[in-house]
Amino acid sequence: MTKHVDFQKTISGLLVLIEGVLKRDAYIRALFLFCNKAKDKLKLLYWSNPP
């Protein structure tokens, strides 16, 4: 996905994007990176499953 994200979204809002738009399981061991419209800020979401 290459569009910007509304930075008022909470973690749960970003999870909805991951699972709904990207059709990915948000709870896998992966790094999801989001940028704002001006592309000067980043948010990342990382879920680490215990070994």
Side-chain angles (χ1 to χ4, degrees):
M1 183 169 155
T2 59
K3 296 181 181 181
H4 64 273
V5 183
D6 177 9
F7 259 41
Q8 293 181 4
K9 288 193 181 298
T10 62
I11 291 174
S12 57
L14 296 174
L15 288 172
V16 169
L17 287 176
I18 292 168
E19 293 182 335
V21 176
L22 298 177
K23 307 288 188 224
R24 299 283 310 256
D25 180 6
Y27 298 101
I28 60 170
R29 189 172 181 169
L31 176 69
F32 298 96
L33 185 63
F34 303 91
C35 69
N36 65 341
K37 188 174 184 177
K39 296 182 181 172
D40 62 350
K41 294 182 180 119
L42 298 173
K43 280 189 178 183
L44 64 94
L45 185 62
Y46 177 72
W47 189 271
S48 175
N49 296 330

